[in-house]
Every structure is written in structure tokens, then in C-alpha cells.
Amino acid sequence: MGFIIFRLIIFIGIVWLGIRLLKAYNQRKLQSQSDGPASEKRTSDSQQMVQCRYCNLHLPQTDAVKHENLWFCCHEHKQHFLDKGPEKK
């Protein structure tokens, strides 16, 4: 009788371990799929945004024109700002 209970405990332990390993495998598989091209796109899309000092337009820092610590959306706005100051509304 004791031998049957021992075998049952071992069997339950093996099944429990198999289920845990299967869950871990599936979780890693889902993580690797989500870390694929979609995550690369997300990180490349998230850029620092800056505001044009002349017209107050927000644009990605990679597309902006910098002058000292000021940002502009184009060279024309940079020149207008340096010549006349901020746009009057």
C-alpha cells in the first residue's frame, strides 16, 4: 500500500513539473514573438519631441533644426526667429 502512494506522489510531481515547464516555455515563446519586429518598430517610433521656437509646432528631434539650445521646424523659421523674434499671433 505504501509503495502505491509513493508512486502516486512521484507521478503527481512529474505531472506538476511538466506543467510548469510547459507554461515557462509558452511564456518565453510569447515574449520572443512580442520582442520581434513590432518592438523594434515601437522603439524606433518613440523619439524625443521638441517644439519649434517660432511657430510652436511639435516635431521629432531628428527632424528639427537646432540653434544653440533652441529648436526650429525648418531653416526659414530659425532665420525669422533670429532676425525678428518669435511669431506674433
Side-chain angles (χ1 to χ4, degrees), residues 31-47:
Q31 260 183 346
S32 68
Q33 287 176 351
S34 68
D35 290 344
S39 114
E40 290 172 9
K41 183 180 179 187
R42 246 181 294 148
T43 56
S44 67
D45 286 347
S46 60
Q47 299 175 5

Side-chain angles (χ1 to χ4, degrees), residues 56-69:
N56 297 323
L57 175 75
H58 287 84
L59 67 157
Q61 185 174 342
T62 56
D63 297 339
V65 178
K66 184 176 183 183
H67 177 73
E68 295 175 359
N69 62 343

